[in-house]
Amino acid sequence: IYLLNIQMMKQTFVHDISHQLQSAIFSSGLAAKLICLFCIIGYGLSYSPQCVRILTVIPGHVMPPNFWIWTFVTHTFIELHIWHTIIDVIVVFLYSKMIEPLWGTKELLKFYFIVTIPNALIVTFTYFLFYGFTFKEEYLFERPIYGLASFIGAYSVIIKQIMPDTVIATTPFFKLKQDHVPLLIIILSTLLWIAHAVPIHFLIMLSFGIIISWTYLRFFQIHQNGTKGDMSSTFSFASFFPSFISPIISVFANTIFEIFVKIKLCQPYVKKYNASSSSSVTITIPGAEAADADRRRQKALKALNDRMKVKDTSSEAWPELDDTQQNPLLPPTHHIDSSSVKIDMNNLHGISTSNKEDLNQEQTTS
């Protein structure tokens, strides 16, 4: 019986996952389908060493006289392990189902290239540094750079922006929130690299994918209301870290931001005040109108669901009795209509006056 229950649980789990994946595939947009299709094709091409050599970024081949610069685009579609490909496809389909309807296909593809191409350049430069310190030519010609790790890390930042403070799992010791996911996947990737489960470029691409995506979403993304970035407090760089070290990270991040403003790499943080109305003052934060709308909607729906649950519970515990549903074992009660009760203030004043006169007469007699 125990083995039968385990088998049934496995079948149920597999059925639920397959059902959700099918729903995500059919409801996803064009950008997600294209990315996943090229990932599957790239995994098939990875069985050919020549294709891996041509399509992945190899630092020694991007230098003169080769100039294989197209690999900065094609490297993301190559995966050498099937479980990496499965994770890439599942994450892209499930996350794009929420992101692409909000952003649109054009913006999502633009974000994809903004994250992946600079990331490949950074990893290539890092390999050049490794070669400069170690003089090992394997960093130039024997360690290809490939995979979708940078885009997976960027997706975790987008979900944090859309749904901050969302509780993913609750444990007896802590609550796992969406804010913790970017830092958590970096820690897990570091442990996997130490265990030789993933190469070093996977950890570098994932980390810089988070940094590049946050920088673009924080300062440069253009919203429909004409503003740039998202300067809300829930999307600050310090919010990616636990509360006990977030003040230190905040000081460091603000210092870097001030340096970028001085060299005109970023625009200064500006708040717009609308004081045209005497009854209220409206403060507009850049990007907050577009970025916070879905957050407030999610919180409002959650609060409404909680109230409905409480109302249903209270209604079940204390049923209301009216004239039509009164218990026949109890004596009948009279119902007083509040609309039929009238109070005459003149009579009430007269009664109170007469009561005072009678009281005075009684005191005089006594």
Side-chain angles (χ1 to χ4, degrees), residues 145-158:
I145 301 169
Y146 59 89
L148 206 62
S150 59
F151 199 54
I152 301 301
Y155 264 167
S156 66
V157 177
I158 301 174

Side-chain angles (χ1 to χ4, degrees), residues 49 118 239:
S239 64

